[in-house]
Amino acid sequence: MNKSKIVRSAAACLLAAAIAVPAAYAAEPAQQPQAEGQPGKLPTAKGHFHEEHKKHHREHALGHEQYRLAKLRYIAEYFGIAVEGKTPEQLKSELKEAKEKDPAKWEAFKAEHRAKRLEMLRDAAKEYGLDTEGKTAEQLRGDIRKFQRSKDTADDSRR
């Protein structure tokens, strides 16, 4: 036999199998796995997309919204804007107007919070035993990340 006949026969066999196998499975009644103690009910999925995982993400999203609202309220109070009974969109628009009206106050607010962030990073770096002298917030954050990653890889190598 030459090669072309062998290739054609193999292709024909594959095609026949591709047609016959699904037809055979369609003819059999499908058997569904049954949960223990509950006839007729499928077991709950265990994996990345099970119900508890979805619930966790909904809670996380709600927590994030609450965090954003608290942050908006804090900034509004800093600018002297009343927050009671206002939606986040209303607060955003009023804050935008306040920023445009008094840019110096906005810059002072940002500088104050950058200083708080730097102090927090310095405290965290000191807890890890890292040097903090003369480093910017970005440098400290990078050092902390490197330390945490090296610690994580050390923990993984012990397993």
Side-chain angles (χ1 to χ4, degrees), residues 74-95:
Y74 177 75
I75 298 170
E77 288 173 1
Y78 182 85
F79 277 95
I81 298 171
V83 295
E84 293 303 317
K86 293 186 181 176
T87 65
E89 289 77 22
Q90 290 172 330
L91 285 174
K92 283 181 190 178
S93 65
E94 289 184 26
L95 284 172

Side-chain angles (χ1 to χ4, degrees), residues 60-129:
H60 180 70
L62 290 174
H64 183 69
E65 290 301 316
Q66 291 170 347
Y67 167 77
R68 288 182 64 220
L69 183 58
K71 187 175 174 183
L72 281 173
R73 287 182 173 171
Y74 177 75
I75 298 170
E77 288 173 1
Y78 182 85
F79 277 95
I81 298 171
V83 295
E84 293 303 317
K86 293 186 181 176
T87 65
E89 289 77 22
Q90 290 172 330
L91 285 174
K92 283 181 190 178
S93 65
E94 289 184 26
L95 284 172
K96 185 176 179 181
E97 291 171 10
K99 288 178 201 176
E100 291 170 358
K101 183 178 165 184
D102 195 359
K105 192 169 186 176
W106 174 243
E107 292 302 320
F109 176 80
K110 290 193 311 187
E112 179 182 323
H113 285 278
R114 283 187 194 120
K116 285 182 183 179
R117 172 81 174 147
L118 181 61
E119 191 59 37
M120 184 191 73
L121 287 169
R122 283 184 179 152
D123 291 342
K126 285 178 185 175
E127 285 181 23
Y128 292 136

